[in-house]
Amino acid sequence: MQRADLVVRVPAAGVPVMLLEIDRRTEDADDLVHKLRPYGEWGRLLAPGADKHTADLVRSRPDAIASIDHEQRLWRRVYPPTGREGLVPVAFVFADTTEAKVSNTVAVLEEAGRRYWAPRRYDTLYPKAVTARDYRQAVPVVVTTLEQLQEHGAGAAVWRRLGRTGEQTLTAALDNPDGHALYRAQEARADAADEQRRAAQREAERPVCTRCGGKFTDERWEEITVHRTAVRAGDKSVCGPCHAGDVARQEAAAEAARLDAAAPPAPQDDPEPGRGRGWFRRRP
């Protein structure tokens, strides 16, 4: 269990909680990486009293903790929500050292501690369209020097976030402009673009009537392709209205044939009109 030198809580300044580590040249860069490791591991611990299903899941698959909400983790029993994605942020403040040594230490922290502070790629259907990063399992790490804090104050642009270049204000350094909000926007745009692409592709594949040249409606298209209706769809190369015309003509022809078959036979003409009346014929 790593204990921070100082716990900072300034909700009014946009920093509900931050763990502070002060280095006065008593530790080398590898020692700081070892300090960072417990913060990352502690943030992934499940809180006591979790339901049996969740506890068994995490016990059997350690990576399953990534799918467990932070509200069910141990760190939330100790600290308030950070208001941002990720675990509790950690700040390294370097004192009594040179700028070159700070740069070298930060470079080692960035490289050797990447598994703890670095965001991940989102698991998405649109890897080319979604450039946002998933910070939900990351430990936000910022660095500065005691001299900068004394000269400019903690509210100035004296903080550098690991994985970024340049210095920012503390709240800007802790924010994740390329995080979940960007992910949701990019995912929504990618969904809309994909839907438009699929709609255009479907229109390009829509059958055209060989008789009148009109495009098939969705209903007619389904009628000729779904097995249960295709057997009664008639000529599958014609559209709905043309098919309806065929059906109407067939029904009219069938009705005419039925009526003709049901009609009584017409009286036949007598081939010998005078025959049978000879006895009553007036003699000349």
Side-chain angles (χ1 to χ4, degrees):
M1 182 66 183
Q2 177 66 38
R3 295 188 178 276
D5 294 328
L6 185 66
V7 177
V8 178
R9 298 190 186 188
V10 193
V15 186
V17 60
M18 184 173 70
L19 308 179
L20 200 66
E21 291 284 346
I22 301 175
D23 176 35
R24 294 183 177 273
R25 297 180 61 184
T26 58
E27 299 169 296
D28 60 24
D30 291 329
D31 291 330
L32 299 184
V33 174
H34 288 306
K35 275 189 171 185
L36 185 58
R37 176 182 174 182
Y39 288 125
E41 294 179 345
W42 181 68
R44 296 173 63 85
L45 292 179
L46 192 64
D51 63 88
K52 185 177 184 302
H53 172 75
T54 302
D56 289 346
L57 179 64
V58 173
R59 190 179 298 111
S60 62
R61 285 178 42 215
D63 62 322
I65 190 67
S67 63
I68 305 301
D69 189 84
H70 286 271
E71 293 299 316
Q72 299 184 58
R73 301 192 194 183
L74 179 61
W75 76 265
R76 278 292 290 112
R77 300 288 181 88
V78 181
Y79 297 119
T82 65
R84 301 174 176 88
E85 304 110 288
L87 306 176
V88 179
V90 175
F92 287 98
V93 178
F94 302 103
D96 304 325
T97 186
T98 64
E99 184 176 341
K101 288 183 177 180
V102 170
S103 297
N104 291 337
T105 300
V106 170
V108 173
L109 268 175
E110 282 189 318
E111 184 61 30
R114 178 173 296 274
R115 62 176 297 188
Y116 305 113
W117 63 260
R120 305 173 183 178
R121 291 190 65 88
Y122 276 99
D123 184 12
T124 174
L125 296 174
Y126 316 106
K128 293 183 178 179
V130 175
T131 60
R133 291 296 181 263
D134 185 356
Y135 289 89
R136 290 175 295 179
Q137 312 307 319
V139 178
V141 179
V142 294
V143 299
T144 190
T145 65
L146 184 60
E147 289 74 19
Q148 285 181 303
L149 292 176
Q150 291 173 335
E151 181 177 356
H152 303 288
V158 296
W159 303 89
R160 183 193 160 193
R161 172 89 171 255
L162 293 194
R164 300 179 188 174
T165 58
E167 295 175 331
Q168 301 174 282
T169 63
L170 182 55
T171 52
L174 294 177
D175 287 342
N176 302 308
D178 58 341
H180 194 63
L182 178 62
Y183 164 72
R184 292 180 62 182
Q186 290 180 331
E187 186 88 350
R189 287 196 294 268
D191 272 335
D194 186 60
E195 185 176 350
Q196 291 177 352
R197 180 191 61 78
R198 287 186 281 108
Q201 181 178 356
R202 178 174 172 80
E203 285 305 309
E205 297 172 353
R206 186 180 295 276
V208 176
C209 181
T210 58
R211 190 176 301 167
C212 72
K215 287 189 174 183
F216 283 30
T217 62
D218 289 343
E219 182 181 6
R220 176 60 176 167
W221 194 358
E222 181 180 359
E223 184 181 29
I224 67 171
T225 53
V226 178
H227 176 72
R228 67 176 183 273
T229 56
V231 295
R232 302 187 302 274
D235 186 352
K236 298 181 178 62
S237 69
V238 299
C239 64
C242 289
H243 171 61
D246 289 345
V247 172
R249 284 189 291 273
Q250 292 170 2
E251 291 178 347
E255 179 66 12
R258 186 186 68 80
L259 293 175
D260 185 61
Q268 297 182 353
D269 294 336
D270 190 347
E272 298 181 19
R275 188 175 181 180
R277 299 193 297 271
W279 293 348
F280 302 98
R281 185 180 304 166
R282 179 178 296 181
R283 292 180 182 275

